[in-house]
Amino acid sequence: MTRLQKLNIARQLAKLGVDIIEVRFPASNKDDLETVKLIAQEVGNTTNDDGRNIVICALARCTKEDIDKAWECLKDTKFLRIQMFLATSEIHMKYKLRMSKEEVIAKARSAVEYARSLGCNDIEFCLEDAGRSEKEFLYQFIGEIIKAGATTVNIADTVGYNCPREFGQLITDIKANTPSIENVIISTHCHNDLGLATANTLEGAYSGARQVEVTINGIGERAGNASLEEVSCLLLTIKPNQSRELKVLFIEK
Ligand SMILES: CC(C)C(=O)C(=O)O
């Protein structure tokens, strides 16, 4: 897509009532950087038709360079967010990151602290492959990033491996066992490899997640992500016992 086409999609999402638009990954290439800048300028200082602010979010790895690039695109936007990510599963830490648990926590903490030091007060942290991570480690990791200043904690089923009951239980357990979890918003990020992205997202929301990450038509890596259309229609149609404030995030992959 051209930059203008992407801008038009962002405008339409704003009209649709989406709360947060995760635009792109500025450190990955120059075009992504320019796209985030443009959408931040054009859409980031506006409100939805019903008067709610639209937050523009950019993605960053836990490095100063990535965070600097995201900040450069967003810093003049009224409502901005940086989402950073790091893997927490044994398999990712050992074979991909080649880091110990302690090193992973230290890297995550210093990335959040660095973004805070730049003036970014809305920081989402994505726990990549959380769906296959040791729960005790997740509680500890999340507790540490909250202390460092994260404001939203994104629980990712990165490889689309979880089943709905298991994913819902994961959110319930994180809520019950993580220090200071009441100070942050829990988010879901589900992939569709087993055809369960929408079901897992719904179960996550019913278990206490207050933000759900979705994509238009479920477009995303491999089999895709939870779809905006399915999740929003389900949330409108099937009411859980208690109503919740749910935030919908669009991720353009
Ligand atoms: C990097 C994050 C946002 C992701 O796409 C995943 O873990 O699936």
Side-chain angles (χ1 to χ4, degrees):
M1 283 187 285
T2 65
R3 219 171 284 162
L4 192 62
Q5 285 170 323
K6 292 174 190 172
L7 174 62
N8 282 334
I9 290 178
R11 287 189 171 129
Q12 291 301 325
L13 286 168
K15 271 198 193 164
L16 207 60
V18 163
D19 297 288
I20 303 157
I21 304 177
E22 185 185 309
V23 183
R24 292 212 53 105
F25 189 177
S28 67
N29 61 70
K30 181 126 182 55
D31 191 59
D32 269 19
L33 186 137
E34 295 302 334
T35 303
V36 177
K37 263 192 193 164
L38 178 69
I39 293 177
Q41 272 163 18
E42 299 290 323
V43 184
N45 294 314
T46 58
T47 50
N48 282 315
D49 282 355
D50 60 7
R52 282 171 301 125
N53 305 320
I54 302 159
V55 177
I56 302 296
C57 175
L59 206 60
R61 288 167 295 191
C62 289
T63 66
K64 279 192 173 181
E65 297 72 25
D66 277 30
I67 296 166
D68 283 340
K69 289 214 163 106
W71 184 244
E72 179 195 330
C73 299
L74 298 174
K75 64 179 191 302
D76 298 323
T77 313
K78 218 161 162 194
F79 304 104
L80 63 97
R81 170 181 292 194
I82 295 178
Q83 176 171 193
M84 46 191 83
F85 59 94
L86 197 59
T88 51
S89 64
E90 200 72 40
I91 189 167
H92 277 224
M93 290 190 291
K94 187 166 175 191
Y95 296 107
K96 184 177 75 170
L97 301 175
R98 300 196 177 139
M99 288 167 76
S100 67
K101 287 177 174 169
E102 293 71 28
E103 286 169 331
V104 166
I105 288 180
K107 192 175 171 88
R109 276 200 65 124
S110 66
V112 175
E113 282 161 5
Y114 180 63
R116 279 266 171 189
S117 75
L118 295 176
C120 183
N121 298 323
D122 187 342
I123 299 172
E124 175 169 347
F125 202 102
C126 176
L127 286 78
E128 214 184 339
D129 210 17
R132 293 191 299 176
S133 301
E134 241 178 57
K135 284 190 182 173
E136 288 300 328
F137 180 57
L138 288 184
Y139 310 148
Q140 186 193 355
F141 184 96
I142 297 170
E144 291 296 327
I145 56 173
I146 294 173
K147 267 195 246 163
T151 46
T152 298
V153 173
N154 188 21
I155 307 303
D157 179 18
T158 299
V159 292
Y161 163 89
N162 290 133
C163 294
R165 193 175 293 178
E166 185 185 26
F167 192 72
Q169 190 61 49
L170 177 61
I171 303 291
T172 302
D173 290 343
I174 288 171
K175 273 191 81 173
N177 294 293
T178 306
S180 305
I181 195 73
E182 63 285 359
N183 298 334
V184 296
I185 289 178
I186 302 178
S187 163
T188 66
H189 178 101
C190 298
H191 281 270
N192 205 33
D193 299 68
L194 298 176
L196 293 170
T198 295
N200 286 343
T201 300
L202 198 64
E203 202 52 46
Y206 290 170
S207 306
R210 289 182 50 226
Q211 171 180 289
V212 292
E213 297 197 345
V214 293
T215 65
I216 294 178
N217 293 332
I219 292 171
E221 275 177 312
R222 307 181 310 278
N225 290 64
S227 96
L228 168 65
E229 310 74 43
E230 289 177 356
V231 172
S232 49
C233 286
L234 278 163
L235 290 171
L236 286 173
T237 315
I238 306 173
K239 298 279 180 215
N241 293 338
Q242 54 194 123
S243 63
R244 300 177 197 285
E245 182 201 336
L246 286 156
K247 301 204 169 191
V248 177
L249 170 70
F250 163 67
I251 309 158
E252 186 191 298
K253 290 268 177 191

